[in-house]
Amino acid sequence: MEKKKDFTAHPLRLFAAYYRPHLGLFLLDMACALIATAADLIFPYATRYTLNTMLPNRLFHAFFLVMALMALTYVLQAVCKYVVTYYGHLMGVRIEADMRTDILTHMQTLSFSFFDKNRTGVLMSRITNDLFSVTELSHHGPEILMTSAISILGGFAILATICWPLALILLAVGLVFLMLFIWFLGGAIGGMINGLISLGGKWCYKEVPAE
């Protein structure tokens, strides 16, 4: 039996609770996204190494071996992207179904006065459009956060092996933009979850007087 959710908990903790029944799909999605991102970093570095080292030294056997491995890596990356696209969205749809079930179950416990004071169209918009945005975040949010971090850090690591002064300059610029992002937009995700995660509870929709 599934443990009853505490809708008075912090919205981020409540949001994370919806991953628990679909943890297998979530881990599969993240693992495949990790492999696909790593492949994107390997391709340019391997190409540079083969063109600058293997071909000038006439290491043709090693060159064709690396090309074959890159082709297999490309096929693996395509499979991983398919898994991320299909099973990642499948996880998002299931989380959306769980959230919608909890919302509709809660709505059936509300008093008639709540529906007198809140417009039906507004409530339906929260259940459909806004909930869809939250579930898109549930799928793409962790995935984009992880892949972006790996791409940026991996890119800096590879660049440091080629030209470390340029890597330090770009790292400093990137840190400045990161601080600006945290300063201006850091609370946006939490604010969206505060308003969308459920129809009841401390951080959610409250009864408002009708105009």
Side-chain angles (χ1 to χ4, degrees):
M1 183 176 179
E2 184 180 354
K3 183 179 178 181
K4 186 178 178 61
K5 296 182 179 67
D6 180 14
F7 291 101
T8 62
H10 191 278
L12 290 178
R13 183 176 181 182
L14 178 60
F15 182 67
Y18 284 95
Y19 286 97
R20 191 174 297 114
H22 315 290
L23 187 60
L25 283 175
F26 175 73
L27 294 178
L28 176 64
D29 177 47
M30 296 297 285
C32 289
L34 174 61
I35 295 173
T37 304
D40 284 331
L41 293 174
I42 291 173
F43 286 145
Y45 188 78
T47 302
R48 180 179 183 273
Y49 179 77
T50 55
L51 293 178
N52 293 343
T53 303
M54 292 184 176
L55 289 182
N57 294 320
R58 304 180 66 84
L59 301 174
F60 298 118
H61 179 74
F63 172 79
F64 287 113
L65 179 61
V66 171
M67 291 300 103
L69 291 175
M70 289 179 65
L72 292 176
T73 304
Y74 183 82
V75 173
L76 177 61
Q77 184 190 43
V79 173
C80 289
K81 287 186 176 181
Y82 170 81
V83 172
V84 169
T85 301
Y86 181 82
Y87 289 98
H89 282 91
L90 177 63
M91 179 192 69
V93 168
R94 291 181 177 179
I95 291 177
E96 181 179 7
D98 293 341
M99 288 183 175
R100 185 163 289 147
T101 299
D102 289 339
I103 290 175
L104 294 176
T105 300
H106 175 73
M107 288 185 69
Q108 295 180 50
T109 66
L110 297 175
S111 63
F112 291 114
S113 61
F114 174 84
F115 297 97
D116 292 336
K117 297 174 182 177
N118 293 272
R119 296 183 180 88
T120 303
V122 174
L123 297 178
M124 291 302 299
S125 177
R126 299 296 182 266
I127 297 174
T128 55
N129 298 336
D130 294 351
L131 184 59
F132 176 77
S133 299
V134 174
T135 53
E136 281 294 292
L137 173 65
S138 70
H139 166 218
H140 294 291
E143 174 192 324
I144 292 176
L145 184 63
M146 182 192 69
T147 56
S148 299
I150 293 174
S151 297
I152 293 173
L153 296 178
F156 280 129
I158 293 175
L159 182 59
T161 64
I162 300 173
C163 180
W164 65 265
L166 179 60
L168 290 179
I169 294 173
L170 293 178
L171 180 61
V173 174
L175 290 176
V176 171
F177 278 102
L178 178 61
M179 288 186 291
L180 290 175
F181 174 81
I182 294 174
W183 179 263
F184 290 108
L185 301 176
I189 294 178
M192 183 178 67
I193 294 176
N194 283 340
L196 303 179
I197 196 65
S198 173
L199 285 176
K202 182 178 176 182
W203 280 273
C204 307
Y205 302 108
K206 301 177 182 179
E207 297 187 6
V208 295
E211 294 181 359

